[in-house]
Structure formats: structure tokens, C-alpha cells
Amino acid sequence: MLFTPFERLGAEATSIEGSGLGLALSRGLAEAMGGSVGVVSEVDCGSTFWVELAATDEVARSEPTDTRMPALVSADAAGGVVLYVEDNVSNVRLMERLLIRRPLVTLLHAATGEAGVAMARGHKPDMVFLDLHLPDASGEEVLRQLWDDPALRGIPVVVLTADATIGHKSRLLASGAAAYLTKPLELARVLDVLDHILASSPASSTQRRAGVDAGAAQ
Amino acid sequence: VSEPSGSLQGDRRHELKNQLGIVLGFTELLLTEMEQDDPWRADVAEIRAAAARALELVNEGGQSDA
């Protein structure tokens, strides 16, 4: 009776809610693993419930399932021009492969800090992914140069780094970084940040350029 | 001050994490693209799990010299 689903002994005499499934489920799970569940009870004294499971030397490894990865593809996510400043070719290729899921996004790449600042000036991207470990300059220095140029200051910069400390993060955010992502990159998170920034970007890059031109004409 | 044995120093640790990040990133991409019943799926998952374990080891090694 105790292990019968939806049977709760003495349920009518208590205000505790429940469906009466706990013990039935426990027994089902134990038996599914080749074990068993039982009870020894003595009136006015107490009950001892026991679970018996086979011991094993080796831990069975279940195949990881994708819990956080839907296809990640979004054809209607906002588009724009993204500049990735990164010296590691494999990381660039990874970003290229990831951004296939964003058909409206154009990816530009610079392998050094100097080239990155020059490309930012030349292309006025909608956002920048900036690796902090560059061959010619620190990412902080590149961030400062982007911030010092009034024409570039409005471009959101997302910093990517494997050296994550809280102090470091707050210092970079205080220096003008729009967001901070730690390596190894969580791909779904990269797309979240990208989508968020491009969606809230005041204009597409063409409109932005038109705005800059109009400002210069005044 | 000598480094504790088994720990990795800054630049090496950084580079190792970077390389592991590449393995993790590409295997994650592959897993998103493969069908659930793809016969290679379990193999790719093993590679990814091994890289994730390696990353944990690197991070553990980093705590002592942080």
C-alpha cells in the first residue's frame, strides 16, 4: 500500500498536501537501476526505509545532451558590421563559423591592435569584439584609442579574455567596454550579446554613416 | 618565490586556455550541427568532455598562483 501511486495512508487526517507519488517514484527509479526499496516498520516506534543499489567500480558516463543549445540560428536577428580584433586564426575561424547563424551580420577581422583601430576608423562597424591579448598592443590600449576618438567612441566594444578577474572586469567596463566575455567563449552567450547590441544599435551602419556625414555637413 | 609544482604560469596558462577554448568552441558548434542520432556524435562529445576536464585542471592549477 505504501508504494502504491496516489495512495496516501492517513491523508484525510493531515493538511500536508501531496499526490502520493514519492515512494512509488523512488521504487520505480531504484528498480530501473537494478536495485530495490523497502521498509521495516514498528508500531509506535518508527520506520526504516532502505534503498539497495548495486555497487560499481566504474562510473557510467551518459552522453552529454544539448541543454542550452538550440540550433542558434536566427535569420531575423538584427544585422550589422562586426569587427573582430584577434590574432589567433582559429578563434577567428570559430567566430566566422558561429556567425554563419547570423546571415545579416558581416564580419571584419583585424589581427593586430593597430589594424583594428584603423579598420574601426575606415569601416565604422556597429560593434567590436576585442581580444585583450594582441601581439602589438594590449587590448586595454586599443580600447583607450577607440574611446579617445570621438568618431569611434560610440561603437560598442565587447572585450574577450581568458584572464578573468573581477577587478579586471570592472576596470575594463569603466574604460568604456560595453560587455566582457570570458574565454573559453560560451557560444550561445556570444550570440546573445551580439543580438542585443545590434538590436539596440541606433542605426544600421549605413544609417550611421549617413548620420556622421550629415553631422559633418553642418 | 618558487612556483608550486604542477601549476602553470601566466602566459602558458593563458595560451593553454585559449587552445582549449578552440577545441571546446568547435566541438560545441559540431554538436549543434549534428543530428541527435549522428553516429559520430558520441565521439565528438568525448573530445569536448576531455577538453572541458583539461580546462578544469588548468583552472585548478591557476588558483594557487592567482
Side-chain angles (χ1 to χ4, degrees):
Chain A
M1 193 73 168
L2 263 183
F3 294 95
T4 309
F6 303 112
E7 291 288 348
R8 290 185 64 214
L9 299 180
E12 60 285 350
T14 171
S15 60
I16 298 170
E17 293 184 8
S19 310
L21 279 173
L23 283 171
L25 283 174
S26 302
R27 174 138 86 178
L29 287 171
E31 288 176 353
M33 291 184 279
S36 55
V37 171
V39 61
V40 180
S41 197
E42 198 175 322
V43 177
D44 292 334
C45 195
S47 301
T48 303
F49 287 83
W50 51 265
V51 178
E52 197 172 65
L53 292 169
T56 178
D57 292 330
E58 198 178 341
V59 177
R61 193 176 303 133
S62 61
E63 189 184 332
T65 50
D66 283 342
T67 50
R68 63 196 167 114
M69 299 297 275
L72 296 177
V73 176
S74 176
D76 57 355
V81 177
V82 174
L83 170 62
Y84 187 18
V85 187
E86 163 70 78
D87 62 317
N88 185 299
V89 178
S90 299
N91 277 328
V92 176
R93 188 155 172 272
L94 180 62
M95 186 67 82
E96 284 172 355
R97 301 275 289 116
L98 180 64
L99 292 188
I100 286 174
R101 289 153 174 78
R102 292 294 179 273
L104 300 178
V105 170
T106 304
L107 183 66
L108 304 174
H109 167 235
T112 63
E114 188 183 352
V117 173
M119 284 188 85
R121 289 207 175 97
H123 294 269
K124 301 287 191 300
D126 296 292
M127 68 174 288
V128 174
F129 280 121
L130 174 63
D131 179 55
L132 286 190
H133 223 251
L134 295 166
D136 62 327
S138 72
E140 287 92 339
E141 172 61 20
V142 176
L143 188 61
R144 194 186 59 74
Q145 288 184 37
L146 293 173
W147 186 255
D148 282 350
D149 186 332
L152 305 180
R153 192 174 296 163
I155 302 173
V157 177
V158 176
V159 170
L160 311 177
T161 178
D163 306 316
T165 65
I166 293 168
H168 196 213
K169 179 178 177 178
S170 48
R171 203 165 60 243
L172 284 161
L173 293 175
S175 308
Y180 181 101
L181 295 177
T182 51
K183 289 181 172 182
L185 296 176
E186 204 181 311
L187 301 185
R189 175 99 182 102
V190 174
L191 290 179
D192 275 352
V193 168
L194 175 98
D195 289 343
H196 181 76
I197 288 178
L198 292 183
S200 55
S201 149
S204 72
S205 69
T206 46
Q207 286 166 321
R208 182 200 295 275
R209 227 165 273 143
V212 170
D213 291 345
Q218 284 172 358
Chain B
V1 180
S2 66
E3 278 294 312
S5 65
S7 74
L8 278 164
Q9 298 199 31
D11 275 357
R12 269 174 181 264
R13 190 169 77 242
H14 179 97
E15 191 50 30
L16 192 48
K17 284 171 86 166
N18 202 21
Q19 299 299 328
L20 288 170
I22 292 164
V23 179
L24 287 167
F26 275 102
T27 48
E28 189 170 341
L29 271 184
L30 275 170
L31 288 170
T32 64
E33 286 170 10
M34 286 173 140
E35 299 293 337
Q36 283 296 329
D37 59 353
D38 190 301
W40 298 107
R41 196 177 173 80
D43 296 17
V44 177
E46 285 291 347
I47 297 169
R48 182 170 165 73
R53 284 195 294 278
L55 183 67
E56 280 172 26
L57 292 174
V58 174
N59 285 335
E60 281 169 20
Q63 283 168 6
S64 56
D65 58 357

